[in-house]
Structures are given as structure tokens and as C-alpha cells.
Amino acid sequence: MAGESLNDLSAFMVVAEERNFTRAAKRLGVSQSALSQTVRALEARLGLRLLTRTTRRVVPTEAGERLIRSIGPRIAEIRRELDGLSELREKPSGTIRLTASEHAAESILWPAVAGLVDAYPDIKVEIVIDYGLTDIVGERFDAGVRPGETVAKDMIAVPIGPALRMAVTGAPSYFARRPPPKTPQDLTGHNCINLRLPVHGGLYAWEFEKKDRALNVRVDGQLVFNTSSLMLKAALEGHGLVYLTEGQVAPYLADGRLVRVLADWCEPFSGYHLYYPSRRQPTPAFALLVEALRYKAKQ
């Protein structure tokens, strides 16, 4: 009975994800009628309607939504555990879902992922760019990337890069019109290029530290983006000051296209870490990724 219920719950979750019986049946490799009977049998056992069916779409009821929230992460975890059985096969396989900022994805994740998918054709990787503090369990990611100091204590955190340092920079054409700021407070009189965070739609506060004195500045300016590549492009064209990691601006500082200010207020901080739930049993594919990403400090 328990096994039957688990199979039915898993089938219901696929229908809820697809919002369509035809697509869900194709994904599960069963007929549409058989899948519909499975879901109806589950509803009958629970005594609740879980899905509202129309000719065009399928929508979870209130009871269905509650079931999705309560068992969704558990079903996803069971799926991952079953994927772990791939270690019994000759080649690692399965899909790895990751979330990271644009800079972390480009500078650290992608080089490792490129080598992994070349070496193991049965492994699939999805990388989602996100600047928010993503709930990787609720959003069904296998892992995320953040600076080490922001990772929750109940997560496993693996260092995957060196210490980071932020930099405030602007183009020479910008400084030809305005004097450079001497202190973080001077930024309130400058045209600063802001980053829009997905959480609550807020703007990222520029963080500074000098001799154990921490200071956050809410800057203002004409431009707001939710991607660092556009922020950098705008800064290079002289539209304002930008606050990005040293790695992102280093080539442009070297060739003089950007000028750095407030360097003495930008202290190094913990570098990027790959983090994932401590209760998660890594699949062989995920274990290979962790090993490929693990930062090996130079001796």
C-alpha cells in the first residue's frame, strides 16, 4: 500500500509540474488514461480533489497546492536518491541543477562544468543565474554558490575559489566631469549604477570596511540593472560608478578603461563556496562536480 501511494504521489507531482496530463504521461512513459486513473485513485483514497481539470489546463486545488508544498521537496529528495543508484552503472548520469550569481557562474562554475559534460556525456547540468538568497531545497536545486560568509550553518559548504574583494570603478570620461570620491559617504553625490535584487525588489547596498569599521551606503543613480554584465557595460561607457568584484573589472583597470577609487575601503572577504543540504546523499555525478570545483589553495 505504501509503495502504491508513493508511486501515485510521484505521478501527481509530475502532473502538477506539467499542468497537463498529456505532457505528464509522455514524461512518465504511460498512457494519458492510465495516468488520469492513477490520480483519481489517489484523490479517492484521500477523499479530496487535488486537481481542477479543464479542456485546456490542469490546476492544483487548495488541497493539491498544500500537498505540493509539503511533499514536493521530499519527492525531489527521493528522486535524487534514486538517481544515486546510477553508481551501479558504468557511467555517472543524471541532471544537476545549480544556482549562482553571474560572475560565479562564468568564472568558476562554467570552466568546471564544461570539462565535466565533455568527459561524461550522460550528465546534464542546468545553471540558473540568481542574485537572491535562493532556497535551494524549496526551489529544487542540487546546490548553490555564494560567498562563504553568507552560507547557512546547516549547509555543507565547499570552498571553490579564492578570497574576493569588491571594487568601485568608473570610466576616465566619468571622472573628467566629477571629482573622485574620497570616502564612501561621498558616493551620495555621484551617479551610481545600481543592482536590483530579486528578493523584495530591493537595491543592493554597497558594503565597505576599513580598520574594523563597517559601512553600508545606499547609493543612487540613473541606471538600475539586474545583471552585472550590463552594469559593467554602462560603467565602461561613462554613465556612472559601478561596484563589482575585482575579477570582473581587472582587465579594464589594466588597460585604463576603468579607474578605481575607494580601494582602501574594500577589504577581502570569504570567497565562493558551493553549498548543499547536509542530509543530501550526493549522486556520483554530483560528487564528480564537487571534486572538479573544490578549490585547492596554492601552497
Side-chain angles (χ1 to χ4, degrees), residues 192-206 217-221 223-225:
C192 297
I193 301 166
N194 263 305
L195 172 68
R196 175 76 67 185
L197 297 174
V199 181
H200 307 306
L203 298 179
Y204 177 64
W206 294 13
V217 180
R218 296 283 179 181
V219 299
D220 193 16
L223 297 172
V224 179
F225 299 107

Side-chain angles (χ1 to χ4, degrees), residues 73-192:
R74 296 180 177 89
I75 293 292
E77 188 171 352
I78 291 171
R79 288 174 180 169
R80 287 194 294 266
E81 296 294 338
L82 292 175
D83 287 342
L85 294 177
S86 61
E87 64 185 344
L88 300 177
R89 294 161 51 187
E90 184 178 351
K91 295 180 180 180
S93 64
T95 299
I96 304 171
R97 298 188 71 233
L98 306 168
T99 177
S101 68
E102 190 174 10
H103 177 244
E106 291 180 351
S107 63
I108 295 180
L109 278 185
W110 173 241
V113 166
L116 187 69
V117 295
D118 282 345
Y120 300 95
D122 293 329
I123 293 178
K124 298 179 181 180
V125 180
E126 178 182 353
I127 299 176
V128 176
I129 303 301
D130 188 356
Y131 289 92
L133 300 180
T134 306
D135 176 5
I136 60 172
V137 176
E139 297 296 326
R140 300 178 189 174
F141 286 102
D142 294 289
V145 176
R146 288 185 200 164
E149 60 193 28
T150 65
V151 176
K153 299 299 183 184
D154 61 344
M155 294 282 176
I156 293 176
V158 179
I160 59 175
L164 295 171
R165 194 179 179 205
M166 302 301 292
V168 180
T169 62
S173 60
Y174 176 84
F175 289 118
R177 304 189 302 272
R178 302 187 185 211
K182 302 297 183 183
T183 68
Q185 292 91 334
D186 293 342
L187 291 170
T188 57
H190 279 265
N191 200 358
C192 297

